[in-house]
Amino acid sequence: MNRNRIASGIMIAAATIGFATACSNDDNDSTDASVTASATTTASSAADDLGDKASEMASSASSAASSVAARAGDAVDSAKQAAFVATFRASYSDLATDRDDDSIEAITEDTCALREKGASDDELKEAIKGLAANGTTVPSDEQASRILDMAVAACS
C-alpha cells in the first residue's frame, strides 16, 4: 500500500544519509553525528506521522463499516416488514381489507415493543386481537396466535 512505500522511502533515505556520512572522508565527527541524528529524528517523525495517518484511516474504516452494517440491518428489517405485510394480506384478507401497509406494519411494531417490555404470550395475543382487528372483524384466538408468530419472526 501507499503507507508501506512511504515507510520504505523514509527508511531508505535514513540509511542513505547514514551510509553517506559513514563513508565520508571528512574527519569532522560532530558534523557526521549531527547529520545522523537529524536523519534519525526525521525518520522517527515521519514514522510517527505515518502511524497517526494509519490510525485515522482505521478509524474512518471502522465508521464506514458501522454505517454500512446499520444500513444493511435496516434493509433486513424492511424486508421482514414487507414479508409480514404480504403474508398478512394473503392469509387474512378479511382483516387486511381496506388497510394500508402502515397500519399492518404497526401490528409488528407494537407487538415487538410490547415483547421487549416483557409482555406474556397471552398479553401479546390480546394486543394482536386489537391491532389486527378490522372494524368489527376481530381475529380468533387461533388467528391471533398465528399472527403473533409471524410478528415475532419480524421482530428478530
Side-chain angles (χ1 to χ4, degrees):
M1 296 198 101
N2 199 16
R3 292 181 296 170
N4 292 338
R5 288 183 187 164
I6 292 171
S8 295
I10 292 168
M11 297 309 281
I12 289 170
T16 302
I17 292 170
F19 180 74
T21 57
C23 294
S24 154
N25 288 333
D26 188 9
D27 290 332
N28 189 347
D29 290 338
S30 65
T31 302
D32 291 346
S34 174
V35 170
T36 302
S38 176
T40 303
T41 301
T42 302
S44 176
S45 175
D48 288 344
D49 289 345
L50 183 62
D52 291 344
K53 296 231 187 276
S55 179
E56 288 172 18
M57 289 172 58
S59 177
S60 294
S62 177
S63 295
S66 295
S67 176
V68 168
R71 281 185 265 155
D74 290 345
V76 169
D77 291 344
S78 295
K80 287 179 181 180
Q81 282 285 47
F84 176 83
V85 170
T87 304
F88 184 86
R89 286 191 182 285
S91 301
Y92 307 103
S93 60
D94 56 333
L95 298 172
T97 302
D98 297 327
R99 292 181 75 166
D100 62 10
D101 288 352
D102 290 340
S103 72
I104 296 172
E105 287 175 1
I107 296 169
T108 59
E109 292 166 358
D110 292 352
T111 301
C112 294
L114 289 170
R115 187 170 175 245
E116 286 178 15
K117 291 179 182 178
S120 70
D121 280 351
D122 289 337
E123 292 171 323
L124 291 173
K125 285 177 194 172
E126 285 305 311
I128 291 281
K129 285 181 181 180
L131 294 166
N134 188 7
T136 58
T137 306
V138 179
S140 67
D141 288 339
E142 184 179 319
Q143 288 175 322
S145 182
R146 282 185 272 155
I147 295 168
L148 175 60
D149 290 342
M150 291 177 359
V152 168
C155 292
S156 39

